[in-house]
Amino acid sequence: MLDNKESGLISGSLVTNNLPLFLQLSGLALCAESIWVTADPYKVYPILGVTGKDDVYAGAWISIFTGFCFFCVCVFGIISLVNNNRLMVLLYLVLILVVYLFECASCISSYTHRDFVVSNSRLVTKQMLGYYTSDTTQGRELTRMWDRFMMEQQCCGANDPLDWVNYTSVFRSRYSEAVAPWPFYCCKRDPNFIIVNEEGCRLGHIDYINTKGCFEHIKHAVQSYAWGISWFGFAILMFTVSPSRKMLQQL
């Protein structure tokens, strides 16, 4: 059992300063943030899934686990302090260390694999050209994704409409440049989503075709996921170190 002086030191440094409560709430927030990532509100998972570099989502699943564990372990830590039980406090520190290591893995995984997609647009462009309008399962999934992006974000191709003209693609093998130099989802539309001028769009008139690429939207989505998991998780880890070290010193 801890004596009164030691108990006062630990309780004063942790319970009074509400650090366990802060870690509990932070753990729940991390869990909620990670659930948001796995729900994929930007709908960019097909891009990462096809490449096999979907560790941003793997990091999110780990963070769901660690966020909930932070909450549960901190509850146990508060109980151990209230009971003034040295063994329970030591067990709490061991559990915090285990959760700490898992969250480190989540942060590193999410951050490092972010660069694989967002460092340049060549990967996304190559994937788009190789799968758009393809009859494969992955091709159909990516086609739906690109159609939605080009419609909702008013963009065309990864970089610009010339992606469909300058490079060979599955789309070009199906449609000649005279018939459809680019998908008609690139065409500007009115509020009812009806193409403003199909012929003008086919000719590439800037008043009737979306000239910006979709890569910036994809980049923003992946970065939002990765930064949310890695940096928020890293911040929680930094708040975990100090109180745990104080507890260890005062045992």
Side-chain angles (χ1 to χ4, degrees):
M1 300 291 288
L2 298 174
D3 58 33
N4 291 334
K5 182 178 180 180
E6 291 174 327
S7 174
L9 286 172
I10 296 176
S11 299
S13 62
L14 294 175
V15 177
T16 303
N17 292 322
N18 293 320
L19 284 173
L21 178 60
F22 175 81
L23 290 177
Q24 281 181 308
L25 297 178
S26 297
L28 290 179
L30 177 63
C31 188
E33 169 82 11
S34 302
I35 291 173
W36 174 77
V37 172
T38 57
D40 190 20
Y42 290 105
K43 306 301 180 185
V44 296
Y45 179 78
I47 292 177
L48 303 180
V50 169
T51 61
K53 296 293 184 179
D54 57 351
D55 286 29
V56 171
Y57 292 92
W61 282 107
I62 296 173
S63 289
I64 292 175
F65 165 76
T66 55
F68 185 70
C69 285
F70 270 125
F71 176 81
C72 295
V73 170
C74 286
V75 171
F76 177 78
I78 293 174
I79 294 173
S80 66
L81 292 172
V82 171
N83 291 334
N84 293 332
N85 189 306
R86 181 187 294 270
L87 182 60
M88 291 178 65
V89 172
L90 286 173
L91 180 58
Y92 163 75
L93 292 175
V94 172
L95 292 174
I96 279 290
L97 176 62
V98 173
V99 178
Y100 184 96
L101 294 176
F102 272 97
E103 184 55 29
C104 283
S106 172
C107 293
I108 294 171
S109 176
S110 298
Y111 182 76
T112 55
H113 286 82
R114 170 191 69 93
D115 292 335
F116 184 80
V117 176
V118 305
S119 58
N120 62 72
S121 63
R122 285 180 296 179
L123 171 69
V124 176
T125 303
K126 181 179 179 180
Q127 187 186 86
M128 176 191 72
L129 297 173
Y131 285 97
Y132 188 81
T133 68
S134 172
D135 286 332
T136 64
T137 301
Q138 293 175 328
R140 287 189 290 270
E141 186 176 11
L142 281 168
T143 299
R144 288 193 297 269
M145 185 203 73
W146 277 103
D147 288 345
R148 183 177 62 254
F149 284 172
M150 291 189 287
M151 174 81 75
E152 295 177 354
Q153 302 301 319
Q154 298 180 357
C155 56
C156 183
N159 302 291
D160 54 48
L162 292 179
D163 286 343
W164 304 103
V165 178
N166 294 336
Y167 307 105
T168 58
S169 64
V170 175
F171 175 78
R172 180 59 58 234
S173 67
R174 289 175 174 270
Y175 305 98
S176 68
E177 189 172 335
V179 174
W182 32 70
F184 286 112
Y185 283 95
C186 292
C187 300
K188 289 186 177 180
R189 298 169 183 263
D190 63 19
N192 294 320
F193 297 100
I194 299 174
I195 296 175
V196 175
N197 188 316
E198 184 174 319
E199 186 61 26
C201 176
R202 182 184 289 109
L203 295 175
H205 195 288
I206 60 174
D207 289 335
Y208 304 117
I209 186 173
N210 298 312
T211 56
K212 71 174 182 178
C214 300
F215 178 70
E216 287 302 318
H217 172 71
I218 296 169
K219 179 179 178 180
H220 169 73
V222 175
Q223 285 184 327
S224 297
Y225 293 164
W227 287 111
I229 297 171
S230 59
W231 283 110
F232 187 61
F234 180 76
I236 294 176
L237 294 181
M238 293 300 98
F239 279 106
T240 304
V241 172
S242 178
S244 299
R245 185 178 59 183
K246 289 180 180 179
M247 289 184 69
L248 188 61
Q249 291 173 344
Q250 294 170 3
L251 283 176

